[in-house]
Amino acid sequence: MLRVAVGPVGESFPGGRDAMPAWLGESERRRWEALPPAARDAFLASRALLRDLLQAATGVPAAAWDVSAEAGTAPLARAGGWPHAVHASLSHRLGWVAAAVSDAAVGVDIECERPARSDPAERAALMLAPGE
């Protein structure tokens, strides 16, 4: 199983960024409390997108999932109606969030187009042998 979704960060959530949503699990609540207010919108948007993706992939309601939120580690999702943990990955950048779920380790990242900061030949010399 592999599912991926991308969406915009919402401008507001019910109660605003200072009101913790009831649907966050314990690990997510601890992480949310440690975040600066400016980072909370992207955190909530990515977690909401992940739960929607989990429901679409498994049929288990979004609210039934408990998702880990330890800093520096990929989230794992568990639900009482699903027989095993689901691997997940989240990313956010410049007003967008991405989520992926899989039955194996998975990673997702958002890359934004931007002007090159150096000459292509210079970049190639950093990564390729002279003959390449």
Side-chain angles (χ1 to χ4, degrees):
M1 159 190 55
L2 173 65
R3 300 268 180 126
V4 179
V6 178
V9 172
E11 290 299 314
S12 64
F13 291 89
R17 66 172 53 125
D18 293 325
M20 185 186 315
W23 50 265
L24 290 177
E26 187 58 38
S27 176
E28 292 170 310
R29 289 171 184 268
R30 287 191 307 271
R31 180 87 180 271
W32 186 88
E33 288 173 337
L35 290 173
R40 291 177 177 169
D41 285 348
F43 180 80
L44 292 178
S46 67
R47 296 292 164 154
L49 183 66
L50 176 59
R51 280 179 168 72
D52 289 346
L53 198 55
L54 286 164
Q55 181 172 319
T58 66
V60 176
W65 289 95
D66 181 39
V67 181
S68 66
E70 304 308 318
T73 64
L76 277 178
R78 291 181 164 74
W82 194 250
H84 53 274
V86 176
H87 297 268
S89 180
L90 298 169
S91 180
H92 53 85
R93 183 162 170 82
L94 299 176
W96 289 92
V97 293
V101 296
S102 177
D103 51 4
V106 64
V108 66
D109 197 13
I110 295 177
E111 295 292 335
C112 299
E113 188 174 341
R114 63 180 182 197
R117 292 184 261 176
S118 62
D119 178 67
E122 183 181 329
R123 290 192 310 274
L126 292 171
M127 296 178 272
L128 303 172
E132 295 174 308

